[in-house]
Amino acid sequence: MDSLNTRTEQDIPFFVPKPTAARPLAGLTILAVEDSRFASEALRLMSLRSGARIRRADCLASAHRHLNTYRPTVAIVDLGLPDGSGLTLIEEMQSAQPRVPIIFGTSGADRDEAERNALAAGADGFFPKPVDSLARFQTEILSHLPDAMLPKGPRAVDGSKVAPDRLALREDLVLALKLLGQEVPPTRYLSKFLLGIGRSSGDRNLIEAARGLPETLAKHDRRKMLALLKERVSKVAPV
């Protein structure tokens, strides 16, 4: 892992940013590798408010297509993706030449283990879900930038939290319903996906249901989860 003292502006050549106190991440490009639309929307809002560009990949295959086209300044990688582990992608970006300059892992799973795994794979930092604090988002990214790329002068810290569009949450819930309705649901992935949704939306009942989702679903388990998800969808019906 590069340290702030050894990383230079030449290590991040894709843009010559002009950060300001109001837009401290101006000039940076962030790649969010995140399967949840709700979590992605939070990252999008924070990136735009910070002056950064953001692109989204919802799976490993999509992330590889992005990385074959350009090199982001910052990558934020969810550890549980529909086509594999985000840890694999972190390892690839860590060992690539040139390396993606700043890599974060993110997860809705238990923080300690997820953070250890992300750092061991080569990530520079970790965002536990929910990722909704603008101040922490900016501060974590700025802490890994060289001095030449930091905003000049005093910077007021915005302590607000972002509020993603609830219809993005509805899209996540509808996707979960579709996965649960498959003849053989991908329960291991679905449990992680629902846990992330629950963390991001502050839904404690959904978090507990996701934790208790058995790998092999009995009929009553499936009915119970279907009922919970349908009830959640009805509360965020489209206007």
Side-chain angles (χ1 to χ4, degrees):
M1 186 191 317
D2 290 339
S3 69
L4 179 59
N5 293 330
T6 60
R7 186 174 291 145
T8 66
E9 189 171 1
Q10 285 69 38
D11 294 323
I12 308 177
F14 205 78
F15 290 102
V16 179
K18 296 180 180 179
T20 65
R23 295 163 61 84
L25 305 184
L28 305 187
T29 297
I30 297 173
L31 173 61
V33 186
E34 173 60 69
D35 53 347
S36 164
R37 291 297 301 270
F38 191 66
S40 295
E41 179 66 6
L43 292 174
R44 185 186 73 84
L45 292 173
M46 289 188 290
S47 296
L48 295 180
R49 288 178 62 178
S50 304
R53 303 183 188 187
I54 185 167
R55 298 184 181 182
R56 180 203 177 206
D58 60 1
C59 63
L60 292 176
S62 178
H64 285 134
R65 287 193 293 270
H66 279 276
L67 293 168
N68 286 335
T69 304
Y70 69 98
R71 184 168 69 112
T73 320
V74 181
I76 302 174
V77 183
D78 188 12
L79 302 190
L81 296 166
D83 55 351
S85 172
L87 294 171
T88 302
L89 183 62
I90 291 173
E91 290 172 350
E92 292 174 4
M93 291 190 293
Q94 153 66 17
S95 60
Q97 294 296 329
R99 181 190 191 272
V100 173
I102 303 170
I103 306 169
F104 290 97
T106 185
S107 176
D110 290 337
R111 174 174 180 171
D112 290 344
E113 181 180 2
E115 184 171 9
R116 280 196 306 270
N117 290 339
L119 296 178
D124 300 296
F126 182 79
F127 286 114
K129 293 182 179 179
V131 187
D132 58 2
S133 168
L134 184 61
R136 182 175 183 195
F137 177 77
Q138 293 177 349
T139 299
E140 287 290 331
I141 293 175
L142 289 171
S143 71
H144 293 280
L145 290 174
D147 290 344
M149 298 181 70
L150 298 177
K152 306 300 181 183
R155 181 176 68 90
V157 177
D158 188 339
S160 63
K161 292 188 176 183
V162 298
D165 190 335
R166 300 290 288 182
L167 291 183
L169 173 60
R170 187 179 191 277
E171 289 187 34
D172 284 346
L173 294 168
V174 169
L175 174 58
L177 276 171
K178 290 179 179 178
L179 294 174
L180 194 59
Q182 293 180 4
E183 184 175 350
V184 182
T187 50
R188 296 183 70 178
Y189 165 70
L190 185 58
S191 176
K192 296 176 182 178
F193 183 62
L194 290 173
L195 187 56
I197 297 173
R199 297 271 192 204
S200 296
S201 62
D203 189 332
R204 293 185 178 181
N205 289 336
L206 184 57
I207 291 171
E208 292 306 315
R211 282 176 170 167
L213 191 68
E215 189 167 339
T216 302
L217 283 176
K219 288 184 178 179
H220 69 275
D221 293 320
R222 189 190 296 237
R223 284 196 301 267
K224 184 177 179 180
M225 182 58 77
L226 283 170
L228 185 151
L229 292 176
K230 288 178 180 178
E231 186 266 341
R232 294 298 190 276
V233 168
S234 69
K235 290 184 175 180
V236 282
V239 294

